[in-house]
Amino acid sequence: MRRKMIALLLLACVWTGHGFAAFLDGNRLLEYCTARGGYGEGACDGYVAGVVDSRLSQQDKGGTSAGFCLPETVNLGQIVWLVTEYLRAHPEELHFTADSTVHVTLRQAFPCASSVVD
C-alpha cells in the first residue's frame, strides 16, 4: 500500500509539470500591506515574516545564502514598510511572486558586506 501511495504521489508531481503559479503575487501583497487593520494587515505581516524566516532557516541549515544580512535592530514593521514602499515604487513588478519581491527588497536594503581578503 505504501509503495502505491508513493508511486501515485510521484506520478502526480510529474503531471503537474512546471506550471505552478504562486499563491500570492505582488498585487495581492500590496493590497494586504496597505490595508488598515484586520485580515489584510495580519496577512501582510505574517507573509513577510514567513518569507524572512524561511530564507534565514534555509541558510542556517546549510542551504543557500539568504542573500541579505538583517541588522539585529531591525523589526518586522520596518521590513514590512520597506516591502510596501518597494511594491509602490515598482508597479511593473507587481505580477511577480510576493516571495521574490520580499527577497529583492531585503537584498537591496540589507546587503551583506563582502569579505575582504588581506
Side-chain angles (χ1 to χ4, degrees):
M1 181 69 170
R2 185 178 171 134
R3 287 184 186 174
K4 287 181 183 179
M5 292 299 287
I6 292 172
L8 286 174
L9 179 61
L10 290 173
L11 192 54
C13 290
V14 170
W15 278 337
T16 59
H18 293 88
F20 177 79
F23 291 110
L24 203 67
D25 66 6
N27 287 298
R28 183 59 57 96
L29 184 59
L30 181 59
E31 178 184 319
Y32 289 159
C33 293
T34 55
R36 299 286 184 235
Y39 175 80
E41 185 177 6
C44 172
D45 289 355
Y47 188 86
V48 171
V51 170
V52 173
D53 286 349
S54 175
R55 299 277 179 156
L56 293 175
S57 177
Q58 287 176 326
Q59 179 176 289
D60 289 346
K61 292 179 181 176
T64 59
S65 168
F68 54 86
C69 294
L70 296 179
E72 290 183 21
T73 57
V74 73
N75 63 45
L76 179 59
Q78 293 166 323
I79 294 172
V80 167
W81 182 84
L82 287 168
V83 169
T84 304
E85 291 305 306
Y86 183 90
L87 289 165
R88 285 180 174 150
H90 299 280
E92 73 281 2
E93 295 181 17
L94 292 176
H95 66 284
F96 293 144
T97 64
D99 172 79
S100 65
T101 302
V102 172
H103 190 235
V104 166
T105 301
L106 293 171
R107 288 181 60 189
Q108 288 182 6
F110 306 108
C112 298
S114 58
S115 58
V116 178
V117 179
D118 292 340

